[in-house]
Amino acid sequence: MAACTAPAAKAALLTLLDARTGLNGVQVVWTFPGDKAERQYLCFGDTELNEVAGQLGNGTRHESYTINVWVSVHWPSNDPQDAEERAWAIVAELEAQLKPPNNADLGIAGANGIKSLTAQFAGGTLATYPELEGQTAQGSFRVAVEARI
């Protein structure tokens, strides 16, 4: 059994997001793509483990953690609204994937000793700023995860 379910949750979420038609043309990757970044990308940032608690007698462990998801749009237009609207559309796809009934277990409950897992969109921030060639909108958004293993 893994020390934390976060890698399994991230892998499942990455697969689900990569399949969303609303994210066509968006680079969906595990971590910051660096110099291989495309104009639009979604990737995982840090994971903050909030709580790990075991329940005496039944061997069940409860995890609570937050996965940060970064969204970035580099838009060739000089209108910052264009970049921001596209970034919010990407965020809407993340949020839609995590709304009921999609948020139930990311398809991984019952595997690898995971008894239950729920992931939910938990907000975030977005900023837009000018660049030499167009506009950029970037943000960090949170996915709250509760798991029992």
Side-chain angles (χ1 to χ4, degrees), residues 31-63:
T31 190
F32 174 64
D35 61 356
K36 293 184 169 91
E38 296 176 7
R39 287 197 173 273
Q40 302 176 57
Y41 66 83
L42 178 151
C43 68
F44 297 124
D46 58 334
T47 301
E48 181 181 344
L49 184 61
N50 303 315
E51 173 188 348
V52 175
Q55 295 181 355
L56 293 176
N58 67 5
T60 298
R61 200 173 83 193
H62 175 260
E63 293 180 340

Side-chain angles (χ1 to χ4, degrees), residues 7 11 63 67 71 74 81 103-104 111 120 131 134 139 142 148:
E63 293 180 340
I67 300 170
V71 171
H74 301 284
Q81 184 176 349
N103 71 337
Q120 296 180 324
E131 300 251 27
R142 297 177 305 281
R148 289 201 181 279

Side-chain angles (χ1 to χ4, degrees), residues 61-114:
R61 200 173 83 193
H62 175 260
E63 293 180 340
S64 174
Y65 53 90
T66 304
I67 300 170
N68 285 310
V69 178
W70 298 339
V71 171
S72 181
V73 173
H74 301 284
W75 208 253
S77 163
N78 286 327
D79 186 351
Q81 184 176 349
D82 293 339
E84 184 167 334
E85 286 178 351
R86 180 59 186 143
W88 283 117
I90 294 169
V91 173
E93 289 294 322
L94 171 65
E95 187 175 8
Q97 182 60 57
L98 296 169
K99 281 187 173 179
N102 297 329
N103 71 337
D105 66 1
L106 299 179
I108 62 173
N112 301 321
I114 300 170

Side-chain angles (χ1 to χ4, degrees), residues 6 29 100 106 129:
V29 292
L106 299 179
Y129 52 90

Side-chain angles (χ1 to χ4, degrees), residues 4-16:
C4 182
T5 60
K10 289 166 79 171
L13 183 56
L14 191 70
T15 299
L16 293 167

